[in-house]
């Protein structure tokens, strides 16, 4: 048991050095990384939990929450090389299962939905990245190599090699593409894409209507109803649309 515990701690330590460029030394990681501290304490409380020792595992988890800001139920199963970056506000429920080399940012909730007994928290397979403030709720499974964007709310199963964004979480498949787990700026904006596509279609329809006007009888062409809509239209070149979508989205 001791050897297994040491192996887990070593893997948790090495993943920080691998993924965090701010980690400059062993002492700094031991003293200044609450995610690492919380995982060490959890592995102790989880061992006690498996031995069915009453109360003490929960006391340790609450003590860990007090000085790290990270709440991990002692019943949660956490694999090797898991990195909780910064970690303030992270909550991990009792029946949560986290695979090897997963990455969780601050404010992440791996929680349940309702008061059902048994498996009621999510399962993250290997190499899953959960962005800051994201919520993964219920007894769902998030597949290997999946990224969940910051602020997303995931309540359904997610296949492997996917990217999830939005509320509720929408899946964008990126199978076969190697992705840097720290590259949050590479996440797609699903809402902006929908708005951009709608605006392009509206532009096309308005242009078609304008081109058809020359075929209308003169008495219809001069009526107020035929031109009322033109003054209220917007396009991808309007200032408000550019500010919302960004310059790159309106090209």
């Amino acid at each position: 048991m001791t050897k297994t515990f040491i192996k887990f701690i070593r893997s948790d330590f090495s993943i920080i050095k691998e993924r965090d460029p701010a980690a400059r030394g062993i002492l700094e990681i031991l003293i200044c990384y609450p995610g690492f501290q919380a995982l060490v304490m959890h592995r102790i409380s989880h061992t006690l939990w498996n031995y069915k020792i009453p109360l003490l595992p929960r006391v340790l988890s609450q003590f860990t929450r007090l000085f790290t800001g990270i709440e991990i139920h002692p019943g949660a199963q956490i694999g090797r090389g898991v990195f909780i970056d910064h970690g303030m506000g992270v909550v991990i429920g009792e029946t949560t299962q986290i695979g090897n080399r997963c990455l969780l940012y601050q404010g992440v909730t791996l929680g349940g939905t309702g008061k059902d007994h048994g498996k009621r928290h999510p399962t993250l397979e290997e190499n899953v990245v959960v962005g800051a403030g994201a919520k993964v709720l219920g007894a769902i499974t998030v597949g290997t190599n999946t990224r969940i964007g910051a602020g997303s709310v995931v309540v359904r199963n997610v296949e492997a090699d996917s990217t999830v964004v939005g509320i509720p979480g929408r899946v964008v498949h990126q199978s076969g593409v190697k992705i840097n787990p720290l590259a949050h700026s590479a996440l797609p904006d699903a809402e902006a894409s929908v708005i951009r596509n709608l605006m392009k279609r509206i532009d096309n329809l308005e242009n078609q209507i304008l081109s058809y006007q020359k075929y209308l009888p003169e008495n219809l062409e001069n009526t107020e109803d035929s031109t009322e809509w033109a003054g209220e239209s917007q396009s991808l070149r309007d200032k408000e649309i550019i500010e919302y979508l960004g310059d790159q989205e309106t090209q």
Side-chain angles (χ1 to χ4, degrees):
M1 183 186 71
T2 303
K3 290 182 178 180
T4 301
F5 179 82
I6 293 175
K7 287 181 179 179
F8 273 87
I9 299 302
R10 283 179 175 174
S11 62
D12 295 338
F13 185 87
S14 62
I15 199 69
I16 295 175
K17 295 179 66 177
E18 176 185 327
R19 289 187 169 179
D20 191 354
R24 294 181 175 85
I26 296 175
L27 190 60
E28 180 178 338
I29 294 175
L30 292 175
I31 297 175
C32 302
Y33 278 71
F36 177 75
Q37 296 164 355
L39 283 174
V40 172
M41 294 299 294
H42 169 72
R43 299 202 187 282
I44 296 173
S45 64
H46 182 66
T47 300
L48 298 175
W49 178 269
N50 288 337
Y51 279 113
K52 302 187 184 301
I53 296 176
L55 189 59
L56 183 57
R58 292 302 304 271
V59 172
L60 286 177
S61 69
Q62 292 301 304
F63 177 72
T64 302
R65 174 190 180 189
L66 181 65
F67 74 84
T68 66
I70 300 170
E71 180 177 346
I72 309 176
H73 193 284
Q77 301 176 38
I78 300 179
R80 297 183 181 180
V82 172
F83 182 18
I84 302 176
D85 195 6
H86 297 289
M88 179 61 70
V90 168
V91 177
I92 301 175
E94 178 184 1
T95 60
T96 300
Q97 295 174 291
I98 302 177
N100 298 332
R101 297 179 63 83
C102 286
L103 172 59
L104 310 180
Y105 285 92
Q106 66 272 16
V108 166
T109 298
L110 305 179
T113 54
K115 299 181 180 180
D116 296 334
H117 295 283
K119 177 64 172 170
R120 60 189 185 280
H121 297 97
T123 296
L124 308 185
E125 296 183 350
E126 294 188 356
N127 299 313
V128 173
V129 178
V130 186
K135 315 299 178 187
V136 186
L137 306 175
I140 62 175
T141 299
V142 179
T144 305
N145 300 321
T146 289
R147 291 190 307 163
I148 299 174
S152 301
V153 177
V154 184
V155 293
R156 296 180 179 177
N157 292 333
V158 181
E159 296 179 3
D161 304 303
S162 299
T163 298
V164 181
V165 295
I167 304 174
R170 302 177 181 87
V171 177
V172 180
H173 294 283
Q174 295 186 332
S175 299
V177 178
K178 184 176 178 59
I179 299 172
N180 180 359
L182 303 179
H184 284 263
S185 60
L187 289 173
D189 189 337
E191 293 181 359
S193 297
V194 170
I195 293 173
R196 183 176 65 252
N197 291 335
L198 288 174
M199 292 302 301
K200 285 182 177 179
R201 182 155 182 81
I202 290 172
D203 282 350
N204 290 335
L205 291 172
E206 289 181 349
N207 289 332
Q208 288 181 24
I209 292 174
L210 290 173
S211 67
Y212 294 155
Q213 277 190 336
K214 62 182 179 180
Y215 299 108
L216 293 175
E218 185 175 351
N219 61 335
L220 292 177
E221 202 173 64
N222 294 329
T223 60
E224 293 183 1
D225 291 341
S226 64
T227 56
E228 273 185 357
W229 59 269
E232 299 296 330
S233 64
Q234 286 188 308
S235 72
L236 288 169
R237 295 176 294 278
D238 290 341
K239 178 182 177 182
E240 293 84 358
I241 302 300
I242 292 175
E243 288 178 352
Y244 182 82
L245 299 179
D247 292 336
Q248 72 278 7
E249 298 287 350
T250 58
Q251 301 298 325

